[in-house]
Amino acid sequence: MSDYRSVTIKDVAARAGVSITAVSHALNEKGTLSDETRQRIREIATAMGYQADALARGLRRSRIGVIGIVLRPLDALEDYSPPGIDYFLRFAGAAAVSALGKGLSLMHVADLVRGPVTPLAFSLDGYIVTDPVRDDPVVALLERRSIPYVTLGRDLSKPEATNWVASADADAARQGLRHLEEQGARSIAFVGGTDDNSWNADGETAYREWCEQHGVRQRMFRLPEGLGEQGGHDLVPNLLNGGVPDAIYSLTGRHAAGIQAGMRERGLLAPDDYLLACGTDADQTRTADPPITAIDLRPEILARETVDLLAGITRGEDPAGRRMVQSRLIVRRSSDRGIAPGA
Amino acid sequence: MSDYRSVTIKDVAARAGVSITAVSHALNEKGTLSDETRQRIREIATAMGYQADALARGLRRSRIGVIGIVLRPLDALEDYSPPGIDYFLRFAGAAAVSALGKGLSLMHVADLVRGPVTPLAFSLDGYIVTDPVRDDPVVALLERRSIPYVTLGRDLSKPEATNWVASADADAARQGLRHLEEQGARSIAFVGGTDDNSWNADGETAYREWCEQHGVRQRMFRLPEGLGEQGGHDLVPNLLNGGVPDAIYSLTGRHAAGIQAGMRERGLLAPDDYLLACGTDADQTRTADPPITAIDLRPEILARETVDLLAGITRGEDPAGRRMVQSRLIVRRSSDRGIAPGA
DNA sequence: CTACATACACAAAACGTTTTATACAAGCGT
DNA sequence: ACGCTTGTATAAAACGTTTTGTGTATGTAG
C-alpha cells in the first residue's frame, strides 16, 4: 500500500493559478466566472484527473450519490441468508443495477432500528424499504430523520402515501385463483403469511372476494413467514382437516414447497389429487417435484420503478408515485391438467 | 420532510459542559481524561442519541465502514441484467449479508475504469472484485490508489498475490469430468469461456489433464461468455464436427442450456444420446428440460470467506489469504444414467 | 522555594469541499 | 471627478469530526 495522495481542489487551483473558490465554481456551474477561465480550469482539472472527494462534499451539501436498501423480511429472520429468498436477492441485485444506471450506488443496510447501525446510514440520499409492516419502525425512523424513502409494497399504516411501488398483488392473486378454477378447482384453500404488510393483506382480500363470488366457504390459513418449508409441511394436517381441498393457493414459495412435500407423504400428488399454485416464484417452486405453478412478480421491473421513483424524489422532483407492476403467471406441472385457459 | 437537525458532537459537549475534544476523546478511547468525566460524557452522549457523522469522520480518518463490490463479468456485458447471472446476484446478496454481520455495508459499484464513477467510490474501505481478468484495469486502479481489495478467483497476472478467495475450480472440473466418466463417457468435449481468468484457465487445465490421463484426443472449445444461450446453441454444429461426443462439459450455465437446445433440434437428447454437465449452477441449468447437472460453487460460502478476508485486511491485520472453497456436484437428469458412483 | 513531572482539559488546526460575502477593477452616465 | 453598475475573482466561514499541541493546576523531589 503506497501512500497515494489523491489530487485535491487545492492542487488544481495551484496549477491553474486561481483560488479554490474559482475551481469549485468552474466545476459546479456556480458563481461568476468568465467562460474563458471556467473552461481553462475545467481542462486542467480533467487533465489532472481531479475528482471531488465525496465525503468532503457530502459534508456541505447533502447528497452523496448513494441510496440504501433495507430488506425488512430478512431483518426479521433469525438466519440472514436462508434459501428461497431469491426474490429479494433478485430485487436487490436488479435495484443495484438500476441505481448504477442512474449514477447512484446501492448500499445494503441492516435493520436500522436495532443494534448499532452502519456509520453512513443516516447520510444516504434515500432509502428503499421492502415490504414494510404496519407502523414499521424503520419507516418511522426515516421519517423522523426526514430521509426520503420509497417502499416496495404499500405501507398499510399510511393510506395517503404515494411513495411506493408494488406488484399488483390483488390482481396477481386473482390471476392465480382464476387459473386454479380453470383447471377444475371448486374449493380452494388459501395459505398466507403473518407479516402485517400489503402483500398479505391484498392476497387475503382477493381470496375472500373469490370465495364470496363463488359462494364457497373460506379456508384461510396464516403461517408465519419464518417457518419456511417446515412450516408448510407441518400445516398439512390442518389443511386436510375438512377433507382434501381441490386446490391450494399459497402466497409464499417456501410454504408451497413444504406443503407439497407434506401432501406427498400422505400419498397426495399434484396435479392429480389436488392443484397447487403459489404467489411468488422462488427457487423452491422451480425445483420442486413436480415444479410448482407460481407468479413471477418481476423483481427486475419492480426494482427499476422503485429506483426511478426514489431517484426522482431525492432530486427534489415530484415524480408520480403509487406505481403498480403487473405480474405474470408461470404455469407449471403442479396445477396443469392441460385445460386451455378460457375453456 | 421536517428540518431535522441531528445531534452533533457540539451539542453533547455543551450539555456536558466540556469541550468537543473531550467528547471525541471520551468516545474514542483517546487522549487523557479522567475515567469519571469519560464515563459521564459517554452517558450523556448515548442519552442524547449521539452518533458521529460518518462523512465528517471519514474526512479525517479514512474508514467509513463500507466496502464496494465490482462484478467484472457484468461490467463486460452490454446488457447489465441478463438472465442466468444468478450466481453473481447470489454472491452479491450473500456478501451483503456477510458484511452486515461484520458491521460493514456493501455497496455495488459499476465499472470503475470507464465513465464517471460513483462519487464515493474512492473513499470506500476496500473492494471485492469478482473474477478479474489478467492485468485487470480495475485491479490496477485499486492498486494505484492503494485501496485494499480481495478478488474472487485468482488474478492470473499476480501469482504471488494472497488476497484472493476462489472455488476449487480445478477440483470442481475434475469432479464433473469424473462423474461423466462414471456415467459411461469415454470422449468428452469441453466448452470454456474466453475471459482470461482463473476460472477458465483452471477448468481447461483440468480438462487437458483428464484427456492426457485417459489418452483421449482433446475437443476443446472457447465461447465468449457474452454470447449466452444463443452462443451455446450456435456452437452445436462445431461440437458435432468429429461425431457426437459421449459427453459435453460446459463451464458456464447459459452455454450449457443453449447447447442442450441446439442438440435437441438435431434430435439428440440427454442423457440418452449424450451426457451434459456444467461448471456453474444457474437458473438455466435448473429449469432446462431435462435439468442439467451442474456444480454448485456455493456462492454463500465464497461470499463469507471473501468478506472475512477483506474485513481483516482493512482492519490492518494480516489474515490468511488464498482461501479455497470446495464446490459440490448436483447430479440432474442430463447426465444421470443411474450408474452408482464408484461402480 | 524551585524545578519538574503528572494529570487533566481544551484551543486550534486539519480534512476537502461548498457557499456567502466581499473586493477590485473597468465601464458608464452625470 | 463622482457614484453606480457590471463583470470577475477571491477570502473566509461553514460542515462535523479527529488530532496535535498547549495550558493550567496539582503533586513531588531536590
Side-chain angles (χ1 to χ4, degrees):
Chain A
M1 312 288 160
S2 82
D3 45 359
Y4 173 89
R5 299 280 317 121
S6 64
V7 28
T8 91
I9 197 173
K10 210 181 287 183
D11 303 329
V12 177
R15 177 80 72 93
V18 297
S19 68
I20 61 168
T21 311
V23 177
S24 175
H25 283 165
L27 273 56
N28 296 305
E29 309 277 2
K30 295 265 172 72
T32 54
L33 285 182
S34 69
D35 287 347
E36 195 180 9
T37 25
R38 214 179 274 273
Q39 185 58 26
R40 196 167 56 84
I41 292 176
R42 282 223 199 84
E43 279 165 10
I44 293 179
T46 48
M48 297 178 72
Y50 170 71
Q51 262 215 304
D53 179 295
L55 295 175
R57 164 177 283 167
L59 202 54
R60 286 289 327 207
R61 300 184 172 179
S62 282
R63 300 249 314 272
I64 62 173
V66 182
I67 60 181
I69 184 170
V70 179
L71 303 173
R72 290 297 284 146
L74 268 58
D75 277 349
L77 262 42
E78 62 305 330
D79 170 10
Y80 219 93
S81 59
I85 55 166
D86 59 333
Y87 163 68
F88 293 109
L89 294 188
R90 269 174 77 193
F91 177 80
V97 169
S98 295
L100 292 177
K102 288 190 170 304
L104 297 168
S105 295
L106 187 84
M107 198 172 108
H108 287 260
V109 176
D111 198 329
L112 283 169
V113 289
R114 60 181 180 198
V117 91
T118 185
L120 222 50
F122 298 120
S123 307
L124 301 185
D125 296 352
Y127 269 90
I128 295 174
V129 182
T130 67
D131 294 284
V133 297
R134 197 185 293 271
D135 297 315
D136 197 306
V138 167
V139 168
L141 179 58
L142 293 174
E143 297 240 313
R144 191 141 31 83
R145 294 253 178 180
S146 61
I147 298 175
Y149 67 92
V150 167
T151 60
L152 178 65
R154 303 194 322 275
D155 183 336
L156 289 175
S157 45
K158 297 195 165 38
E160 305 298 329
T162 61
N163 57 333
W164 54 265
V165 173
S167 57
D169 294 338
D171 279 359
R174 274 192 286 273
Q175 205 178 352
L177 295 168
R178 189 175 336 117
H179 162 72
L180 292 173
E181 187 184 341
E182 283 172 350
Q183 297 299 311
R186 170 100 187 84
S187 75
I188 303 180
F190 176 94
V191 182
T194 54
D195 284 349
D196 191 8
N197 56 31
S198 66
W199 161 249
N200 281 322
D202 291 352
E204 291 185 8
T205 303
Y207 175 67
R208 282 216 193 77
E209 287 175 2
W210 185 89
C211 288
E212 280 174 22
Q213 283 167 15
H214 294 71
V216 176
R217 191 171 57 84
Q218 292 178 26
R219 295 173 74 178
M220 163 134 53
F221 300 84
R222 289 200 185 88
L223 193 58
E225 279 79 355
L227 295 183
E229 293 195 47
Q230 188 64 45
H233 175 273
D234 297 345
L235 183 69
V236 168
N238 299 334
L239 272 169
L240 297 178
N241 218 354
V244 181
D246 295 348
I248 302 173
Y249 186 79
S250 161
L251 281 185
T252 94
R254 283 166 295 149
H255 292 166
I259 289 169
Q260 176 161 263
M263 295 290 272
R264 191 210 317 274
E265 285 179 10
R266 284 168 173 74
L268 296 168
L269 296 178
D272 299 325
D273 305 314
Y274 71 106
L275 300 171
L276 179 61
C278 169
T280 47
D281 193 25
D283 209 50
Q284 283 93 339
T285 57
R286 285 187 291 269
T287 57
D289 181 28
I292 301 173
T293 290
I295 291 180
D296 176 12
L297 297 173
R298 309 223 254 185
E300 290 77 11
I301 298 179
L302 286 166
R304 174 151 39 82
E305 293 297 327
T306 308
V307 169
D308 184 70
L309 179 57
L310 179 57
I313 292 175
T314 60
R315 277 197 304 265
E317 302 164 9
D318 186 24
R322 294 185 172 164
R323 306 191 185 179
M324 305 257 276
V325 173
Q326 284 302 321
S327 43
R328 204 171 36 143
L329 184 71
I330 304 174
V331 177
R332 300 208 180 92
R333 274 224 307 292
S334 74
S335 72
D336 193 356
R337 287 187 180 141
I339 303 172
Chain B
M1 309 288 160
S2 81
D3 45 358
Y4 172 89
R5 298 282 317 121
S6 64
V7 27
T8 90
I9 197 173
K10 210 180 288 183
D11 303 329
V12 178
R15 177 79 74 92
V18 296
S19 69
I20 60 169
T21 310
V23 178
S24 175
H25 283 338
L27 296 164
N28 295 306
E29 308 278 3
K30 295 264 174 72
T32 54
L33 285 183
S34 68
D35 287 347
E36 195 180 9
T37 26
R38 213 179 276 273
Q39 185 58 26
R40 195 169 57 83
I41 292 176
R42 282 223 198 83
E43 278 164 12
I44 293 180
T46 49
M48 297 178 74
Y50 169 73
Q51 262 216 307
D53 180 294
L55 295 176
R57 165 176 282 167
L59 203 54
R60 289 287 328 204
R61 298 183 171 180
S62 287
R63 300 249 315 270
I64 62 174
V66 181
I67 59 181
I69 183 170
V70 178
L71 304 172
R72 290 298 283 146
L74 267 58
D75 278 348
L77 262 42
E78 63 305 331
D79 170 11
Y80 219 93
S81 59
I85 54 165
D86 60 331
Y87 162 68
F88 293 108
L89 294 189
R90 271 174 74 193
F91 177 80
V97 168
S98 295
L100 293 177
K102 289 190 170 304
L104 296 169
S105 295
L106 187 84
M107 198 172 111
H108 287 259
V109 177
D111 197 329
L112 283 169
V113 289
R114 60 180 181 200
V117 90
T118 186
L120 223 52
F122 298 120
S123 308
L124 301 184
D125 297 352
Y127 270 89
I128 295 173
V129 181
T130 67
D131 295 286
V133 297
R134 196 186 294 270
D135 297 316
D136 197 308
V138 167
V139 168
L141 179 59
L142 293 174
E143 296 241 312
R144 192 142 28 87
R145 294 253 178 180
S146 60
I147 298 174
Y149 66 91
V150 167
T151 61
L152 178 65
R154 304 195 321 278
D155 184 336
L156 290 176
S157 45
K158 298 196 164 39
E160 304 299 328
T162 61
N163 57 332
W164 55 264
V165 173
S167 57
D169 294 337
D171 279 0
R174 273 191 287 272
Q175 206 178 351
L177 295 168
R178 189 177 333 116
H179 163 72
L180 292 174
E181 185 183 340
E182 283 172 350
Q183 296 300 310
R186 171 101 187 80
S187 75
I188 303 180
F190 177 92
V191 181
T194 54
D195 284 349
D196 191 7
N197 56 30
S198 66
W199 161 249
N200 281 321
D202 291 352
E204 290 184 8
T205 303
Y207 175 66
R208 281 217 194 78
E209 288 174 1
W210 185 90
C211 288
E212 279 174 25
Q213 283 166 14
H214 294 70
V216 175
R217 194 171 56 85
Q218 292 177 26
R219 294 173 75 178
M220 162 134 53
F221 300 83
R222 290 200 184 89
L223 193 58
E225 278 80 355
L227 295 183
E229 293 197 46
Q230 188 64 45
H233 174 274
D234 297 346
L235 183 69
V236 169
N238 299 333
L239 274 169
L240 297 179
N241 218 351
V244 181
D246 295 348
I248 302 172
Y249 186 79
S250 160
L251 281 185
T252 95
R254 285 166 294 149
H255 292 167
I259 289 169
Q260 176 162 263
M263 294 289 273
R264 191 210 318 276
E265 285 179 9
R266 285 170 172 72
L268 297 169
L269 297 178
D272 299 325
D273 304 314
Y274 71 107
L275 300 172
L276 179 61
C278 168
T280 48
D281 195 24
D283 210 51
Q284 283 94 339
T285 57
R286 286 187 291 268
T287 58
D289 180 30
I292 300 172
T293 290
I295 292 181
D296 177 12
L297 298 173
R298 311 222 253 186
E300 290 77 12
I301 298 180
L302 285 166
R304 172 150 41 81
E305 293 297 327
T306 307
V307 169
D308 184 71
L309 180 57
L310 180 57
I313 292 175
T314 61
R315 277 198 304 265
E317 302 164 8
D318 186 23
R322 294 184 173 165
R323 305 191 185 178
M324 306 259 275
V325 173
Q326 284 302 321
S327 44
R328 204 171 37 143
L329 184 71
I330 304 174
V331 177
R332 300 208 180 93
R333 274 224 306 294
S334 73
S335 71
D336 194 356
R337 288 190 177 138
I339 303 172

